[in-house]
Amino acid sequence: MGVVVQKFGGSSLKNAERVMEAARKAIRAKHAGNKVLVVVSAQGSTTDDLIAKAAEITGAPSAREMDMLLATGEQISIALTAMAIQELGESAVSLTGPQIGIVTDSTHRKARIKKIDTQRLTEELDAGHIVVIAGFQGIDEQGDISTLGRGGSDTTAVAVAAALKLAGYDVECEIYTDVDGVYTTDPRIVPDARKMDAISYDEMLEMASMGAGVMHSRSIEFAKKFDVPLMVRNSQSDAVGTWIVPEEPWMSEIPACGVALAADEARLVLEGVPDRPGVSHRVFSALADANIAVDMIAQSVGTGGKATIGFTVLNADLEKTKKTLAPIVADLGAALNETGKVSKVSVVGAGMRAVSGIAERMFQALSEEGVNMKMITTGDIKISVLIDEDGPPESAIVEPPTGEPIKKAHLESKKAVRGRRALRAVHKAFALAQPRKGAGDTGTGFKPRPSPMLATVARDRDAAIAKLDGMEGVLVSGVHLNAEQSRVTIHDLPDVPGNCSRVFNAVATGGILVDMIVQNQSGPAKAELSFTLPRADLTRALKRTQDVVRAIDPAARVVGDADVAVLYVLGVGMRTHTGVARTMFGALAARGINIAMINTSEVCVGVVVERARGEEALACLKEAFKLT
Ligand code: ADP
Ligand code: ASP
Ligand code: MG
């Protein structure tokens, strides 16, 4: 018999009426012949209210006590939902995270799941009850209550679905929320955003980790790792929502499936760093040890033996980052500067791997809006741009009417005036409001089907899962070397809107597929822009770049390097599991291999090294990740 896992978010349970509606959905699934497991979040704004209550007592509550407090929100919901099901004549039992044995590590407020004991769950399901479990919470090995991080109930739902799948059940997972599914971007910011019929795990993982708050990104890690197809749908209707599934062949034809905005990051710049092997390792391994996930990393190629490393961290981690790096900065004789308020706009799409001109289209749209890009980094299937939110008042900006009011949890994005404007411009540039295959094009309604690829993927996955140190352990599935790449670097490019767009327009019109892009500020009002491309295209790309750069500023320098190799480490949750970067930089540093460019994303970390050392780097990374 199949198990249906249904997760209801806060707004879907905000009052008694909504709780009854959720109970009816669960009962309906039971009457359709399924065993039913319901995962619930805290009602409405309960979690925010609890945080506010703590703030009335102290400005620095202990993380353990916060978890004790926050976990109460979900406990209210399970009891009420179970009562509602009973009131409607079905049997139900409510269970907390600790009661069902969701064991986590002890990182309070962002704990990771180590294992889930399915015994109690299956006993209750077999006894015919609808089981209602508390999302967002677990218990650590000392017996203390932990929580998984804001939005973590999605992760509970998918993790429980995965655990039941591993226990041999046929599982379906539905995420009920207050929108019809996953849209091309947040419909509250861009009212003409379009609902998608389906999106791949990788695309959703990148969208979520780049700011699409509709799903907790860690839930998608579970979904991909354990292959749990999900549907995100509206708790207020029976409309078919959005499937999140393994990548289908048609998805790779769509260069950009969605865009996302994040407004909760801070940018830091390390200046005057000695350009030698091991320096990035020292910096990023210290941050990894402090459990700080670094997002964008842009390392400018060293000139005069010194390099600049720009990177972003969550605002919440800013103080800890500065404290962690202070001794290293002093020792390196470098300076660590903070650079005002920023927001980040990302475009995501599986088709980006093979289609040229995506970056150019994004930069052009931003340039037409007069947006200045502080930093650019790319991943396998995403491009992110950092936007300065400080600057002259933007009173002249007329904001178009948006959808429903922004929720408390997403308030940060309300403040990112320039980011929101940039988001709309990029959404428009990729015509994301228009119907397309997989997003509202009539006749192509998506239904997931077993892919012939899945058998092999499943075998590899089972082998990989056997090596995990816990259910939420990072999965590194492969390391690849591309020794056919070359690199173009522009030093001292005037840092004004439109310049990047001009460069990539020149390259894209030559049909050249640019892979990695890193842009960083290299001095006052100057940027350094590097990109990689197939070696066979280097001469053409250099010529085109030189022509356009000469017209922008004859003082800017263009340098080509035919002797680079790019290494990609692929997996799931690569950025947020801070140990991946540490292992990678550590392994390369131990061999004295210098890293010239770095790009990070949830599904791929890429580094550029000297070509002569490519094979050696490949071998050492395989060894470091035990992939041999
Ligand atoms: P829940 O309480 O059900 O977990 P959330 O507030 O966490 O709900 O997530 C739903 C919200 O996510 C929507 O109301 C919407 O504003 C926001 N959102 C952000 N990006 C997207 C997107 N790409 N598609 C749909 N919703 C999005
Ligand atoms: N109640 C928690 C929060 O508000 C978890 C969740 O809603 O998923 O973050
Ligand atoms: Mg949520």
Side-chain angles (χ1 to χ4, degrees):
M1 193 194 272
V3 178
V4 173
V5 175
Q6 298 184 325
K7 180 256 168 179
F8 293 91
S11 50
S12 306
L13 298 166
K14 68 178 179 200
N15 53 34
E17 196 187 320
R18 292 285 170 89
V19 173
M20 293 305 283
E21 280 168 27
R24 273 185 215 107
K25 281 213 186 310
I27 291 173
R28 221 172 347 136
K30 171 114 195 277
H31 290 176
N34 303 292
K35 292 180 190 286
V36 180
L37 208 152
V38 179
V39 178
V40 293
S41 298
Q43 290 186 288
S45 62
T46 304
T47 309
D48 290 321
D49 299 342
L50 291 169
I51 292 172
K53 270 187 194 302
E56 286 170 14
I57 306 277
T58 164
S62 99
R64 182 190 181 279
E65 301 314 325
M66 275 309 275
D67 277 355
M68 189 63 100
L69 177 69
L70 297 187
T72 62
E74 271 68 14
Q75 194 169 337
I76 296 172
S77 293
I78 49 172
L80 294 177
T81 308
M83 286 174 200
I85 295 169
Q86 290 162 356
E87 175 66 16
L88 293 169
E90 267 296 336
S91 66
V93 57
S94 66
L95 295 167
T96 63
Q99 276 180 302
I100 54 160
I102 298 189
V103 179
T104 71
D105 63 19
S106 303
T107 322
H108 287 288
R109 302 202 70 178
K110 47 178 176 181
R112 285 193 185 277
I113 298 176
K114 296 184 100 160
K115 58 176 196 265
I116 299 178
D117 182 357
T118 50
Q119 195 186 339
R120 176 86 194 261
L121 273 184
T122 52
E123 278 169 15
E124 301 290 357
L125 288 171
D126 289 345
H129 303 305
I130 294 177
V131 182
V132 185
I133 67 174
F136 177 58
Q137 53 175 258
I139 187 163
D140 73 3
E141 276 153 339
Q142 281 76 53
D144 286 331
I145 290 177
S146 54
T147 65
L148 308 180
R150 296 304 307 269
S153 296
D154 297 330
T155 294
T156 307
V158 185
V160 167
L164 288 170
K165 192 177 167 187
L166 291 178
Y169 287 87
D170 189 10
V171 188
E172 266 177 44
C173 189
E174 301 177 325
I175 306 290
Y176 285 97
T177 185
D178 59 355
V179 282
D180 281 347
V182 181
Y183 282 67
T184 48
T185 193
D186 191 338
R188 289 175 208 273
I189 302 180
V190 183
D192 67 354
R194 176 167 285 276
K195 194 202 94 186
M196 291 185 247
D197 304 320
I199 181 171
S200 72
Y201 293 138
D202 281 355
E203 288 168 324
M204 190 66 233
L205 191 51
E206 295 289 23
M207 286 273 285
S209 82
M210 292 300 118
V214 62
M215 288 299 291
H216 195 227
S217 73
R218 284 163 51 193
S219 68
I220 311 300
E221 290 182 30
F222 273 100
K224 178 171 182 192
K225 229 158 46 180
F226 300 98
D227 194 17
V228 181
L230 314 173
M231 185 187 276
V232 179
R233 58 197 307 183
N234 199 324
S235 60
Q236 293 282 286
S237 79
D238 288 325
V240 174
T242 302
W243 281 103
I244 305 175
V245 289
E247 191 171 316
E248 292 268 317
W250 61 265
M251 291 173 177
S252 61
E253 290 160 23
I254 292 153
C257 73
V259 293
L261 171 69
D264 55 354
E265 287 180 26
R267 174 171 183 248
L268 290 158
V269 183
L270 248 176
E271 275 163 311
V273 184
D275 183 25
R276 55 168 193 257
V279 173
S280 326
H281 169 58
R282 243 185 110 185
V283 171
F284 295 113
S285 66
L287 296 177
D289 288 340
N291 205 8
I292 297 167
V294 173
D295 180 24
M296 296 172 91
I297 302 178
Q299 176 170 304
S300 306
V301 182
T303 43
K306 300 278 183 194
T308 302
I309 306 177
F311 59 95
T312 62
V313 294
L314 284 178
N315 274 326
D317 287 330
L318 181 60
E319 288 313 312
K320 197 167 157 197
T321 304
K322 290 198 282 194
K323 222 175 176 173
T324 306
L325 290 184
I328 300 175
V329 170
D331 192 42
L332 291 173
L336 182 64
N337 299 316
E338 207 180 310
T339 63
K341 212 172 143 10
V342 289
S343 58
K344 181 179 69 182
V345 172
S346 306
V347 46
V348 174
M352 212 178 276
R353 293 190 190 108
V355 180
S356 61
I358 303 305
E360 189 267 322
R361 222 196 296 178
M362 179 182 195
F363 302 158
Q364 162 97 35
L366 293 174
S367 132
E368 280 166 10
E369 282 293 317
V371 172
N372 198 14
M373 303 182 281
K374 284 280 141 212
M375 229 167 137
I376 303 167
T377 62
T378 55
D380 186 25
I381 57 164
K382 65 129 194 181
I383 303 168
S384 296
V385 165
L386 207 66
I387 293 163
D388 202 350
E389 282 292 341
D390 291 330
E394 289 272 352
S395 50
I397 297 176
V398 182
E399 292 228 24
T402 52
E404 286 175 58
I406 299 275
K407 292 192 208 170
K408 230 176 182 176
H410 305 305
L411 262 187
E412 280 303 318
S413 68
K414 181 80 193 149
K415 296 183 215 142
V417 179
R418 288 176 172 82
R420 290 154 64 91
R421 191 172 55 152
L423 185 80
R424 290 187 196 106
V426 177
H427 192 265
K428 193 159 167 223
F430 287 101
L432 294 178
Q434 302 307 315
R436 57 140 167 102
K437 193 165 187 175
D441 196 0
T442 45
T444 55
F446 177 81
K447 285 199 186 59
R449 56 185 169 78
S451 128
M453 288 283 293
L454 276 185
T456 12
V457 173
R459 263 201 314 279
D460 293 350
R461 196 181 47 239
D462 290 348
I465 285 169
K467 289 194 220 157
L468 295 180
D469 60 349
M471 270 193 101
E472 209 171 340
V474 64
L475 185 74
V476 176
S477 52
V479 186
H480 298 284
L481 168 69
N482 183 346
E484 298 305 317
Q485 289 273 292
S486 63
R487 179 174 60 164
V488 171
T489 303
I490 308 165
H491 297 281
D492 296 331
L493 185 68
D495 188 21
V496 290
N499 282 349
C500 280
S501 162
R502 288 172 71 181
V503 170
F504 287 104
N505 183 26
V507 177
T509 47
I512 299 166
L513 187 62
V514 169
D515 182 18
M516 249 195 205
I517 303 172
V518 169
Q519 187 242 44
N520 200 10
Q521 261 179 327
S522 59
K526 297 284 182 196
E528 186 181 278
L529 175 63
S530 284
F531 51 94
T532 64
L533 69 160
R535 182 168 317 115
D537 293 329
L538 179 61
T539 316
R540 269 187 327 127
L542 263 179
K543 164 95 180 62
R544 286 175 169 267
T545 310
Q546 272 155 349
D547 288 348
V548 53
V549 167
R550 206 171 295 130
I552 293 171
D553 181 357
R557 284 174 302 123
V558 181
V559 183
D561 186 350
D563 290 321
V564 301
V566 189
L567 290 137
Y568 306 93
V569 180
L570 303 174
V572 187
M574 310 278 296
R575 186 178 66 82
T576 34
H577 289 76
T578 53
V580 176
R582 180 180 36 201
T583 305
M584 201 166 161
F585 299 144
L588 295 172
R591 303 272 179 129
I593 299 172
N594 206 11
I595 301 173
M597 269 166 94
I598 305 166
N599 263 339
T600 59
S601 82
E602 290 301 331
V603 295
C604 177
V605 179
V607 292
V608 172
V609 303
E610 232 182 292
R611 182 148 65 109
R613 311 208 58 186
E615 289 292 344
E616 186 190 352
L618 177 69
C620 93
L621 289 179
K622 281 191 169 164
E623 191 189 318
F625 290 108
K626 302 188 179 63
L627 291 168
T628 41

